[in-house]
Amino acid sequence: MTRLLAVLALLTLGCAALSFFLGPAHLAVATLLQGLWDGDGLAGTVAREIRLPRTGLALVVGAALGASGAALQGLFRNPLASPDVTGVTSCAGLGAVLALYFGFAAKAPALLPAFAIAGALASAAVLFVLSRRGAGRVALVLAGVAISSLAVALTALALTFAANPYAMSEMVLWMMGSLKDRTVSDLVLATPLVAIGIALLISAARGLDALTLGEEAAASLGIGVGSVRMRVILGVALATGAATAAAGAVSFVGLVVPHLIRPFTDQRPSLLLLPSALGGALLVTASDVLVRSIDPGEQLRLGVVTAMLGAPFFFWLILKLGRET
Amino acid sequence: MQAAHGWVAAALTALILSTGPAACAPKRIVSTFLCTDEYVFRLVPRGQIAALSFEATDRHPVVSTIADAAAGIPAIRPSAETVMTFDPDLVVMYAGTMPALHAALDRAHVPVLDVPWANSLSDIRRVTALLGDKLGARERARALLKEMDATLARARGAAPKPPVRTLVYEPNGYSATGGMTGEIMALSGLADMGAVLGHTRLDTLPIEAVIAHPPELLILSGDPRLMNSRADLVQHHPALATVPSTVAWAELTPLLCPGPWSADAAMTFTRLAAKAVTTKGRR
């Protein structure tokens, strides 16, 4: 476990460094580090105001999605669960769109993640109620598809009525995600919310392990099942909501990462949370580096890359599950 | 005999006048696109305009230069049904826009005038003259061009030498490069940095590239109060506040649609160029 964490941390750090040193200003590594240290001149502005928030957000957003995916798969005991498949990300995007395009975020920037978290919470709550009523693996995924479709439709409706000429053209941002031109404020807003979200998920780790035995068995072990569920749902809503408000809907990270990490653990959900957070950070940072390398003009969206990696994986997963059942 | 000659002359004059541009002029014109609205409104008397597109008078946000003046003229979101409701004798469309609407109007035998896109000042002269002919407003078209030339001449006279290295930075990080905007910038004494940076009209320019190659004058195009889209937020990025340039916000609505009114942007450019020169002198 420690070895897995160390390897993931090293890879993530390497990718973060690559992300930080890559950009159109073509500044030397030493110059950028000096700029990051003293904040002076062009290197200082590039390092502190542009590269740092971008790399930082890639790590934060990835960690949020990776950990949320692992927690949802544990809570619903469903390998297909993840923030995007269950519609949590789309609802967070809807909240963010309402906050941004109808002027709430301009009045108070914190309202952007607040609305996104509210959206994520609403969809997670619906899924929670459905799972309590005995909805199976497929039913939950179908519910997620329905929630996601409704959220995307409402997002499109909201953008249609937004008094902004760029609203409709930004639909692609909310569906595909981007880290372009984010600021330190975006990072400062997202980081504590994601940290609290992940902390809530980790606090529910033991409970998630117990839930793998079933709710009754978990309760007999003295686990407060209701409290575990509440912490996971709140944690996912906080982490995914804040991440989506900052970057839009970055798909498939929450689905793919826990599956990639699981073979290296003993399959317990508790042991999957932290490595999935690191794996998510690694995947999003690497995807963002890829986006900027392929298309320096950045018309290519981050979510395009993660979806191109994630969608084939999703098909493979469905076929695998089909063979198992 | 002389009286008979008089009558014949009068009849001939009446015939010539009645077959001239004004007499053939369409009387119920519908325009379907912002850039044709701007032309139709300026060339044709109000009574001959049946409808303009909603963008002409839209206030959320204002994208037209005639938003106030055209208030009261029916505004439509063009579809075959809404356009035909007005029983137009001419529909003015921008070439290449709304192909389904165009096809529907063709099937219904509604006359359509396709206005070609203008990408330079000479294109503007050609398109304005063409519309003057087709809308029966030759004199008005000539007057618009004369006014444009006078404005451009004033801008040329006020242009600083050497030109001020300028970047027009738009929402989303787009940057005006080349074409009509480039021509107007050049004659107003602005050297377009977008072109120097190898930037094209279709790409966005990262903020990092702007601050790595700071212009003397950075024009942020749009409304500084707007902060309700990711596109607008780009222009409020804190890194832009650090560039050692003269930074100014400017509404460049006249450049949105190419036409004789686009020359008005030249006066904005020369004003900002003078500001940049003064600021540079003080540094």
Side-chain angles (χ1 to χ4, degrees), chain A residues 25 51 100 164 170 180 245 297, chain B residues 171 204 208 228 230-232 237:
Chain A
R51 306 266 181 99
L100 185 59
N164 188 294
E170 287 183 9
K180 191 184 169 199
Chain B
T204 55
E208 195 173 313
N228 60 342
R230 284 283 176 203
D232 298 313
H237 197 289

Side-chain angles (χ1 to χ4, degrees), chain A residues 91-279:
Chain A
C91 286
L94 170 63
V97 161
L98 291 174
L100 185 59
Y101 296 87
F102 292 89
F104 299 107
K107 288 191 178 94
L111 286 177
L112 182 64
F115 272 56
I117 289 165
L121 204 54
S123 61
V126 171
L127 288 170
F128 173 65
V129 170
L130 285 175
S131 75
R132 294 280 331 250
R133 292 190 175 183
R137 182 184 283 175
V138 177
L140 270 182
V141 172
L142 289 177
V145 170
I147 292 170
S148 191
S149 302
L150 180 65
V152 169
L154 289 175
T155 304
L157 182 71
L159 289 173
T160 304
F161 289 112
N164 188 294
Y166 307 102
M168 277 310 281
S169 64
E170 287 183 9
M171 183 72 197
V172 70
L173 162 73
W174 295 105
M175 288 171 72
M176 283 294 159
S178 170
L179 290 168
K180 191 184 169 199
D181 298 328
R182 297 301 185 264
T183 62
V184 175
S185 306
D186 292 318
L187 181 63
V188 167
L189 269 178
T191 306
L193 294 168
V194 169
I196 295 169
I198 293 178
L200 274 169
L201 298 178
I202 289 173
S203 76
R206 248 193 80 230
L208 285 174
D209 283 349
L211 272 176
T212 56
L213 304 170
E215 290 190 8
E216 282 177 19
S220 70
L221 289 171
I223 300 291
V225 176
S227 157
V228 170
R229 283 198 205 103
M230 199 52 73
R231 273 179 280 165
V232 170
I233 283 174
L234 262 177
V236 166
L238 273 170
T240 308
T244 308
V250 183
S251 52
F252 288 108
V253 176
L255 176 76
V256 171
V257 169
H259 285 284
L260 292 177
I261 302 287
R262 199 169 279 120
F264 301 101
T265 69
D266 66 0
Q267 310 280 323
R268 271 184 292 164
S270 61
L271 294 183
L272 203 56
L273 289 172
L274 215 49
S276 291
L278 275 173

Side-chain angles (χ1 to χ4, degrees), chain A residues 3-105:
Chain A
R3 201 169 154 195
L4 173 66
L5 283 174
V7 170
L8 283 170
L10 267 177
L11 286 172
T12 308
L13 205 63
C15 227
L18 197 60
S19 164
F20 184 75
F21 295 126
L22 181 74
H26 302 297
L27 294 168
V29 170
T31 315
L32 265 173
L33 290 176
Q34 183 66 37
L36 184 63
W37 177 255
D38 58 26
D40 290 340
L42 171 67
T45 307
V46 169
R48 287 190 177 181
E49 300 288 349
I50 295 174
R51 306 266 181 99
L52 182 67
R54 179 162 200 152
T55 304
L57 271 177
L59 294 172
V60 167
V61 168
L65 297 176
S68 297
L72 284 175
Q73 286 173 17
L75 178 70
F76 294 133
R77 281 164 281 159
N78 186 337
L80 298 176
S82 74
D84 47 330
V85 173
T86 53
V88 175
T89 313
S90 307
C91 286
L94 170 63
V97 161
L98 291 174
L100 185 59
Y101 296 87
F102 292 89
F104 299 107

Side-chain angles (χ1 to χ4, degrees), chain B residues 5-278:
Chain B
H5 279 160
W7 278 110
V8 170
L12 276 174
T13 309
L15 185 68
I16 289 163
L17 282 176
S18 68
T19 53
C24 297
K27 298 288 186 280
R28 295 181 310 281
I29 302 170
V30 171
S31 161
T32 62
F33 192 71
L34 173 65
C35 299
T36 51
D37 296 337
E38 300 256 15
Y39 265 115
V40 168
F41 181 76
R42 284 181 171 88
L43 287 172
V44 170
R46 205 179 173 96
Q48 288 171 228
I49 303 172
L52 299 175
S53 85
F54 74 98
E55 290 153 324
T57 49
D58 197 7
R59 304 214 68 85
H60 300 289
V62 173
V63 287
S64 109
T65 60
I66 53 171
D68 292 326
I73 296 175
I76 56 164
R77 288 184 184 266
S79 70
E81 195 172 326
T82 50
V83 169
M84 282 192 266
T85 307
F86 289 91
D87 188 25
D89 54 1
L90 184 68
V91 178
V92 185
M93 299 185 72
Y94 228 50
T97 61
M98 304 174 213
L101 170 63
H102 200 302
L105 294 173
D106 287 345
R107 282 195 300 275
H109 305 294
V110 176
V112 175
L113 172 61
D114 288 304
V115 178
W117 182 258
N119 199 33
S120 65
L121 290 171
S122 62
D123 285 352
I124 288 175
R125 288 178 216 289
R126 189 171 46 78
V127 171
T128 308
L130 170 88
L131 275 161
D133 279 351
K134 300 286 183 187
L135 301 178
R138 278 183 195 152
E139 283 311 311
R140 184 73 197 117
R142 280 193 202 109
L144 281 178
L145 290 176
K146 199 173 161 189
E147 205 178 317
M148 174 180 91
D149 288 334
T151 308
L152 294 178
R154 278 205 305 282
R156 259 190 213 100
K161 290 178 188 68
V164 177
R165 288 182 299 108
T166 303
L167 185 73
V168 178
Y169 204 50
E170 298 171 22
N172 247 335
Y174 285 102
S175 172
T177 300
M180 173 204 69
T181 303
E183 269 186 81
I184 295 178
M185 284 177 74
L187 66 85
S188 309
L190 306 181
D192 182 8
M193 282 285 288
V196 175
L197 292 174
H199 177 65
T200 71
R201 196 73 188 84
L202 300 173
D203 290 331
T204 55
L205 197 59
I207 288 170
E208 195 173 313
V210 177
I211 61 169
H213 307 280
E216 289 174 276
L217 171 63
L218 176 64
I219 301 177
L220 300 172
S221 153
D223 182 346
R225 291 164 302 177
L226 278 183
M227 289 180 73
N228 60 342
S229 75
R230 284 283 176 203
D232 298 313
L233 289 175
V234 171
Q235 294 174 303
H236 292 274
H237 197 289
L240 289 178
T242 66
V243 290
S245 316
T246 302
V247 182
W249 283 87
E251 284 285 8
L252 296 176
T253 321
L255 294 175
L256 213 53
C257 286
W261 55 88
S262 300
D264 293 344
M267 298 317 294
T268 307
F269 283 151
T270 50
R271 182 174 50 78
L272 295 177
K275 188 180 167 189
V277 170
T278 314

